[in-house]
Amino acid sequence: MTTCTVDNTSGLRYSLATSPTHLAVSKEATLTLTITNPTDQPIACSGFTLTFPLELPTHDTTVLTSHPETINAAADSGWHITSPEHGVYAAAPPAATTDLAPGKRITLTLNRVTAPADPGAATLFLSDGLHPTSQDPTPLRVVVWPSGPIVDDFHPTSLNVQRGEQVTLKWNRIKESAITYALYYYPHTDGQLPIGRDGGPEPIPDEDLRGTYDVNSQRYDVDYTTKDKDGMTNPTVIFALNAIYQGDVKSYVTYVQTTRADGEFYNVGVSGATTVLNRTAHPLRDSSTVYRASTDGFLVGWVKESDSMSAQEGATTGQEYVTNELQIQVNAPDATDYSYFHLVSGERESHNSNVTIPVAAGSEIIFEGPADDRVCELLWHPLGTDIGTGLDGEQEGT
């Protein structure tokens, strides 16, 4: 959920996170600023000041919010907000100067921040001290995404293929020139992505993608077919599609199961019968909790549209439905791996939209969706037996 993390000259580390993870135009959000001492020595702190633009500047950013009067600001650890003004929030310590001990942190939370009506990136500035001009400020960027689904219906034409066969991926994307896209997948038996010139993973070349533009929907229909030389060889082949806007990334994931795939197994011994999939599925109820998978497993979710009226109202005024969304963020346990964002929208009242996501042990799981289990549900299926739920939870902000 971290938007950005930077270190200042005194050794303090600033981390700015947003909830939801990706801000949408005109929607409310929460900004959480965490100041941490990552060193082994105490660091003296006289306060911090966070400022952000309320009017359009001349350089390339946008307004963070046009309604600063709705914001509630609070600090923890005995700190307090001094005379908050629109766009300026100063956090003062319990005493004139407080030493921040090694490993300790201070959290400043801004609730009810209404994102602007136009997409873009706003630069916030964090300064040491109780005045925004006391020192050279540290810039922290917040990205506000265009409205509507950026990518939808990302899926393979077949969920199961024979070893060595090809598979075609299809998806729709928004018509927005400021958003770029990159497709990655793991086609090799060693599970590694091709490495690019800059040392990072190499995306599928744009010239290998095919697309047509639908004037009515204002969207592109895109597809990609894997190469003959690659084929499908792993038991599970993961595909990741990244949408990149203003340096921020939304990741979407799907996968294909391969029949008679190559595999490498170590220290496996079974005498008689064994069970790999835990029989009990565990519902994830609390969207304010960061769940951590203590074992490998699968997330299975569904969502559908819901009736926004009572039966009596619907009989007189016509039936209306609300489009529900289930958002799932899976953060990989290893920083070198990928984290994925999944967005599932309800299709109509009588049909479910479903998603199944493989999750590696150690991953973080964050979700947001309707609280009504009649229109939305997310289930955790751990792999293995005698492991309990295979899932740990921690309240956000603790």
Side-chain angles (χ1 to χ4, degrees):
M1 293 178 63
T2 298
T3 302
C4 58
T5 299
V6 296
D7 293 335
N8 76 353
T9 54
S10 68
L12 293 175
R13 179 166 295 163
Y14 303 144
S15 295
L16 181 67
T18 64
S19 179
T21 305
H22 301 285
L23 302 190
V25 294
S26 302
K27 300 295 184 180
E28 273 197 3
T30 297
L31 271 60
T32 302
L33 174 67
T34 304
I35 298 101
T36 308
N37 179 1
T39 71
D40 58 0
Q41 298 293 325
I43 298 177
C45 305
S46 60
F48 304 94
T49 303
L50 182 67
T51 63
F52 51 80
L54 295 178
E55 297 179 358
L56 286 174
T58 56
H59 49 90
D60 186 22
T61 82
T62 188
V63 182
L64 176 64
T65 180
S66 299
H67 303 282
E69 69 279 359
T70 67
I71 296 176
N72 292 326
D76 66 356
S77 304
W79 287 56
H80 61 281
I81 307 299
T82 63
S83 303
E85 299 178 4
H86 290 174
V88 180
Y89 297 89
T97 301
T98 298
D99 285 343
L100 193 61
K104 295 298 183 180
R105 66 183 186 181
I106 304 155
T107 301
L108 173 63
T109 304
L110 301 179
N111 292 312
R112 299 183 63 196
V113 179
T114 302
D118 296 318
T123 301
L124 284 64
F125 297 95
L126 182 64
S127 304
D128 289 347
L130 300 180
H131 302 283
T133 58
S134 58
Q135 291 189 19
D136 291 336
T138 299
L140 302 167
R141 296 178 78 247
V142 175
V143 175
V144 179
W145 285 74
S147 60
I150 305 303
V151 170
D152 58 15
D153 201 20
F154 179 43
H155 70 281
T157 52
S158 176
L159 288 175
N160 296 280
V161 298
Q162 296 291 322
R163 177 184 181 276
E165 286 185 347
Q166 294 173 270
V167 68
T168 299
L169 298 169
K170 293 182 175 292
W171 65 93
N172 299 318
R173 66 176 178 84
I174 192 173
K175 185 191 179 186
E176 172 56 70
S177 59
I179 300 178
T180 58
Y181 299 84
L183 175 67
Y184 304 85
Y185 78 105
Y186 294 81
H188 306 301
T189 54
D190 59 4
Q192 298 298 314
L193 284 166
I195 301 301
R197 288 187 297 272
D198 60 354
E202 187 74 55
I204 304 300
D206 290 344
E207 57 266 23
D208 290 350
L209 307 181
R210 296 172 297 278
T212 56
Y213 178 59
D214 187 327
V215 176
N216 295 324
S217 66
Q218 293 286 298
R219 300 179 73 82
Y220 286 96
D221 299 319
V222 188
D223 65 83
Y224 168 75
T225 301
T226 58
K227 302 287 188 180
D228 291 334
K229 63 182 179 62
D230 292 330
M232 301 289 101
T233 55
N234 284 347
T236 301
V237 181
I238 304 294
F239 297 89
L241 178 62
N242 287 355
I244 306 153
Y245 177 67
Q246 298 282 355
D248 199 15
V249 178
K250 282 188 178 183
S251 292
Y252 306 80
V253 67
T254 190
Y255 69 98
V256 172
Q257 298 287 351
T258 305
T259 304
R260 297 196 301 272
D262 292 338
E264 295 181 0
F265 302 92
Y266 302 92
N267 302 322
V268 175
V270 177
S271 177
T274 188
T275 300
V276 175
L277 187 65
N278 194 305
R279 290 185 179 90
T280 303
H282 305 280
L284 274 62
R285 303 289 191 194
D286 189 359
S287 61
S288 66
T289 294
V290 178
Y291 293 93
R292 288 175 176 81
S294 58
T295 183
D296 293 342
F298 290 89
L299 284 172
V300 177
W302 62 267
V303 65
K304 65 182 179 183
E305 290 188 352
S306 60
D307 182 4
S308 64
M309 293 182 170
S310 66
Q312 183 176 2
E313 290 172 327
T316 58
T317 62
Q319 201 78 356
E320 291 188 5
Y321 293 99
V322 175
T323 298
N324 296 303
E325 289 185 347
L326 174 61
Q327 301 181 34
I328 308 168
Q329 175 84 15
V330 177
N331 297 327
D334 188 340
T336 61
D337 293 335
Y338 282 97
S339 299
Y340 300 115
F341 175 77
H342 316 264
L343 176 64
V344 190
S345 298
E347 293 179 349
R348 53 187 186 273
E349 192 272 340
S350 59
H351 291 77
N352 296 344
S353 294
N354 305 296
V355 63
T356 301
I357 305 165
V359 178
S363 297
E364 289 185 348
I365 301 167
I366 305 166
F367 77 97
E368 183 177 341
D372 188 349
D373 58 10
R374 295 172 300 176
V375 300
C376 179
E377 192 169 39
L378 183 61
L379 298 174
W380 165 247
H381 294 267
L383 293 172
T385 57
D386 299 326
I387 57 174
T389 65
L391 204 63
D392 302 315
E394 177 183 339
Q395 288 289 319
E396 289 188 324
T398 61

